[in-house]
Structures are given as C-alpha cells and as structure tokens.
Amino acid sequence: MKLENLKFDEQGLIPAVVQDIDTKDVLMMAYMNTESLQKTLETGNTWFFSRSRQKLWMKGETSGNTQTVKKINYDCDNDTLLIQVEPAGPACHTGDKTCFHRQLEEGIKNPDEIEEVKSAVEGSILTQLNKIIAERRDEMPEGSYTTQLFEEGLGKIAAKISEETTEVLEAAFEKDRKEIIWEAADLIYHLLVLLAYKEVDFKEVEAELKRRRK
C-alpha cells in the first residue's frame, strides 16, 4: 500500500499504536504525519509528530529508550497504524514499560462487566453493526455479502427480509430457542441493510422508539 492511500485527519495526522512485538503489550499511542512516518520507514526507529510542540520527535532521542520498528500494519479503514517494535527501554515518561499502566476501574474483573463497559464506550452492538453496514454501502468492498445486497438492490433486500421473517416464525412455532436467536439475528441484520439502503439513520429509529416510550 502507498502512503498516499492512508487516511490522515484534517490536521494531516494519523494515530499510531505502538506494540511490543514479543510480549504484545501495547506500549503507547502517538500521532504521525507523512514526514514522521517517512522518517520511521527510512531510519527503522519510531518518529512522531508532537501536537503541542508542532514538531517531529524520535522516541528515545533524549531518554535513549528507542524503539526499533519490526512491522507496520494499518487497519481496515486505513486511518490507524499498528507499529510493532523492539523497545530499548520503557515507553512511558514515568519509567513504566507501557503508558497504559493505570486501570480505569479497579473493580472490573468479570469479562461480562468488561464487555458492558466496552459496549457503553462503543455503543450498542446494533449501533456498531449499523456503522459497519453504512461503511460497506459507501465503500462497496469486493467479496462482501453486504456489498452484494446493495448491488442487487431493494428487491433482493426485501426478499431476504421476507425470507428471514418466515424463518423466525417457523423457529418460534417449533419452539427451538437457539434457532429463534439465530434467525432473529439474520432478520435484524437484513433490516439494518434496508435502512442503510434507504439512507435512514438507525438513530432516527432509536429516536422514534424513545418517543413512543414516553
């Protein structure tokens, strides 16, 4: 992939998550611009752009705690970098190995509780799924089933909703709980595709449900 295909924000920056290639610990997060990313590629050490100082800086240039770059990945939206490194010392200015050494809530230990917090931050699974479907509509990636539905149009989407509705009812009458859950998930997914196809924001549906509750 060429650097120009990466999506930098309006300030010309892209977030870069730095990870220890051996331990997989997330060490830090900073921002890069095209110049700092180019210097990272050329030198093999991590270079970033300081938003406060408005200048480039190399990790470890004063502390000696440099980071040797081993691998750079980018995410599915082309707007975030994952940089795997071999650190020559702690990443955090406090002397800790990682900048992420503090826990938000010490009482959170149960995986279900962690998922609840994660859901609260990211939004409900319906909100997350709706966002992904909207991205598929806008980008139309090859090989995606959602892309295929958008390409085939409203008739195909409506037919799938009718089909899935029937399958939900059949599962209900057969009293197969697992099958009801499975088919209901299929129905909800295809309904979200229909909303995206008609450019109806899911938030509008949520707002209507809230209005009815009142």
Side-chain angles (χ1 to χ4, degrees):
M1 180 180 182
K2 297 181 179 179
L3 295 188
E4 54 264 32
N5 292 331
L6 291 173
K7 295 179 182 177
F8 293 83
D9 66 16
E10 58 273 12
Q11 282 82 43
L13 303 176
I14 189 170
V17 178
V18 181
Q19 181 184 44
D20 187 315
I21 194 169
D22 295 320
T23 67
K24 306 307 179 186
D25 290 330
V26 176
L27 302 178
M28 58 180 288
M29 195 286 285
Y31 289 87
M32 290 183 167
N33 59 9
T34 54
E35 186 179 357
S36 63
L37 178 53
Q38 191 64 54
K39 287 181 73 68
T40 297
L41 293 171
E42 291 173 355
T43 66
N45 291 320
T46 51
W47 283 80
F48 305 102
F49 181 81
S50 171
R51 293 176 298 169
S52 59
R53 293 178 291 161
Q54 290 293 296
K55 61 179 291 188
L56 300 183
W57 64 283
M58 187 188 85
K59 178 63 179 173
E61 59 186 342
T62 57
S63 66
N65 299 325
T66 56
Q67 297 170 340
T68 302
V69 178
K70 294 300 180 180
K71 188 176 181 181
I72 300 180
N73 285 29
Y74 55 91
D75 74 338
C76 56
D77 293 322
N78 300 353
D79 62 3
T80 304
L81 300 176
L82 175 63
I83 303 178
Q84 294 182 304
V85 304
E86 283 185 355
C92 186
H93 71 281
T94 63
D96 281 276
K97 179 181 179 181
T98 169
C99 292
F100 298 94
H101 57 272
R102 295 179 293 178
Q103 189 171 331
L104 182 63
E105 289 291 344
E106 294 184 0
I108 298 179
K109 295 182 175 63
N110 188 298
D112 292 335
E113 293 175 336
I114 294 174
E115 284 302 314
E116 287 177 7
V117 173
K118 182 178 179 182
S119 179
V121 173
E122 297 179 349
S124 70
I125 185 60
L126 290 179
T127 300
Q128 295 173 47
L129 180 57
N130 184 64
K131 179 182 178 182
I132 293 171
I133 290 172
E135 290 173 351
R136 296 290 188 272
R137 177 198 61 199
D138 297 338
E139 300 172 6
M140 300 292 277
E142 293 183 7
S144 165
Y145 173 66
T146 307
T147 296
Q148 180 183 338
L149 288 174
F150 284 127
E151 288 176 341
E152 296 189 18
L154 182 59
K156 176 64 174 181
I157 297 171
K160 288 299 297 182
I161 290 176
S162 177
E163 174 187 330
E164 299 300 342
T165 300
T166 299
E167 291 179 355
V168 168
L169 294 175
E170 289 176 350
F173 281 108
E174 292 172 2
K175 299 181 179 179
D176 187 331
R177 189 172 183 277
K178 290 185 178 180
E179 193 68 19
I180 292 173
I181 294 171
W182 180 273
E183 299 300 345
D186 281 348
L187 176 58
I188 291 170
Y189 159 75
H190 286 92
L191 181 57
L192 289 176
V193 172
L194 173 65
L195 293 177
Y197 184 85
K198 299 300 292 185
E199 297 187 352
V200 175
D201 194 315
F202 182 67
K203 291 181 180 178
E204 298 176 72
V205 179
E206 288 183 318
E208 174 61 20
L209 291 171
K210 290 177 181 178
R211 186 192 66 79
R212 295 184 185 186
R213 184 182 63 181
K214 294 179 181 179

